[in-house]
Amino acid sequence: MSLRLTTLGGCQLRDEAGQTIAAPYLSLVLLAYLYSSETQVARRSAAQLIWSGNPDAASTNLRSALRRLSQAIGENRAPVIEADGAYLTLNHQALTCDLEFETAEISADNLNLCSDAVAKVFLPMEGRTSAQLSIWVKDVRQRHVAFLRQQFLKAADNPEKIARSDLRRAAVLLLEHDPGDEEIRRRISVTEGQEQQRVAAQPSEAQKFMAPPPSGDLWLVPRIALLPPDTAVSAQKAGSVANALIEDLTIGLCASRAVSVVAPYTSERIRSSRDKAAILERHKITYVLDTQRTEDALFVQLVFLPTDEIIWATRFKLDPGEIAGQRQTITDAVQTSLVRQLHSTQTMALDVSNQPEAYVSFLRGLQDLSHMSLPSIRRARRHFKASLEIDRNFASSLAGLSRTFSMEWILTARGDQELLQQAVRLADQAVSNNDQSAGAFKEVGVSHLFMGRIDESLEALEKAETLSPHYADVLFSHADSLVHASKPADALRKVLSSIELNPLPPDPYFWAAAGACYFLGEFGKALDFIGRMRDSKPADRLAAACWAMLGDTGKARTYRLRVLRNNPDFDLERWVAVLPHKEKWQTEMYREGLIKAGF
């Protein structure tokens, strides 16, 4: 019986029953090195490779690792490493490893093993520095890519012997690694139901929208991750046509030199992550094509990741009786629209590649803005300023900085005009730097709203919505201004549309919906929206007014006490005087609720 070492997607040692053996991590790395080397290795070479950062203690560390590995395995087992005075040799009778495919003959049957190796990544915790260990790990990964390429080319010459989906998966992995591999690009099958075909020299209709960079450097093209609606396992069980459509689209984009496509395995990991800044930093991804499946429809939206902006979206029905014949038509239509949008944001995407640190700082600020508290807002302000120190003309960071001042004005409720003047100045500067930025026009609209310039606010937000009609934050801000413009019914419809685009919205969306409901006299519904906020403290004034208008003075006064505890300087008349409302009835209705609540 032998132990099993896994090195792809993680590093673990398991016994015959599949139980993990608690061996030191670096001793497992040593096992991987010995297995990959195939011959005996000098003790000194192994020690210097794994502990290159501490050469004086390398030999001591090696002895300790060997001893602890032996203890973890147990005395009743044959040793997995045979050590003499100068050399280390792996006992292949006592250990198997998931690197066996390296010694397999090149054949179509081994294509999936190579694809798994490249997708899962050899020793994923390593390879991020210039140390000897990292260099070796990266060399092994390069070798795995070379193995996959050999397997793919052989399999592509005999496509009838292997599943088309397996060929497609391998092609995507190879092009993710090297977008400039024209040989792989030519081998991609592009027509469903036909024999494998070569990509035509004449570019497709979608490809015409974007040419490769003039420099010819394909690493400068934007990277896109396509997130399928279902996991691979659930899609296979359900026979998901939606996933098949996304697969078709992935291959179609791979055939274009205008964009670099992230492999599906990476995309699945991205779906489970909530840290967009870390994703951008690690994978340098500019766009995410997100998909959501309902019972009879597929919703597709293209998100510009650096600003979290939805720049395009569509929805189409999934009719099992017709979709099979429509797959190519739908794929071509989506691809054409998609690449047109990529073209429209090409300059912005290139800026992401050139100034990634500015975008990462911006995203950190954006994440802090999702929490409506003064400490969070001030942290966000520091991140936006850090971004502007790197790129002082970055419109999105100027717009974000503007938002921090308008939000502070709302939360402090002191009517501080200096905060609003800062917000207006920064928002106008953002538009001046980029008059195609929906986010910049959004902040112009928000800042002008609180200055009482409601018409100017609506004009700016209409411009923002024209530039980006699927940008949920723009729709929410537009809805908020409509509330103050004495159009609560229109506001409620628009904020519900923003929630549909962003099903896990930040708290201000629900706050805006609650405000619209209040002025429609739907006080119970307003409280329901407030109840959906993760942190409802900023809406305590509105909650107090709602309970008072419903006649529950006890709960109204409870919320009044919460408001005064968090903001003891709150003054009703001073606050109502600076709140912008298009028509007087709104101001009086809000004052009535607050007075009934005891303010």
Side-chain angles (χ1 to χ4, degrees), residues 364-405:
R364 298 294 183 200
L366 204 62
Q367 287 173 330
D368 281 325
L369 275 186
S370 66
H371 305 286
M372 294 194 63
S373 67
L374 286 175
S376 294
I377 288 169
R378 287 163 182 167
R379 281 196 304 273
R381 188 174 298 161
R382 289 195 293 272
H383 286 304
F384 292 134
K385 287 181 176 179
S387 174
L388 291 168
E389 287 176 3
I390 300 168
D391 182 357
R392 61 189 178 89
N393 295 317
F394 183 24
S396 295
S397 285
L398 286 166
L401 191 58
S402 170
R403 171 54 67 100
T404 66
F405 288 106

Side-chain angles (χ1 to χ4, degrees), residues 475-476 479 490-500 509 512-513:
L475 269 64
F476 142 69
D490 292 343
L492 185 59
R493 282 193 293 270
K494 196 169 288 289
V495 76
L496 290 177
S497 295
S498 72
I499 292 172
E500 183 178 352
Y509 286 45

Side-chain angles (χ1 to χ4, degrees), residues 455 457-467 474 478 482:
D455 291 338
S457 171
L458 291 174
E459 181 181 350
L461 289 163
E462 285 167 5
K463 174 66 173 177
E465 194 169 336
T466 299
L467 286 169
V474 167
H478 199 170
L482 286 170

Side-chain angles (χ1 to χ4, degrees), residues 203-212 222 224 226 249-261 287 289 300 302 311-312 331-346 349:
S204 70
E205 191 65 26
Q207 289 172 313
K208 293 177 184 177
F209 286 107
M210 275 181 73
I224 182 170
L226 293 89
L249 184 57
T250 300
I251 297 304
L253 290 174
C254 279
S256 169
R257 298 177 81 248
V259 66
S260 172
V261 180
Y287 300 94
L289 186 75
V300 179
L302 180 66
I311 61 175
W312 173 78
T331 298
D332 290 344
V334 173
Q335 183 178 332
T336 299
S337 299
L338 182 60
V339 179
R340 186 187 289 116
Q341 290 297 329
L342 296 178
H343 175 64
S344 69
T345 55
Q346 186 175 17

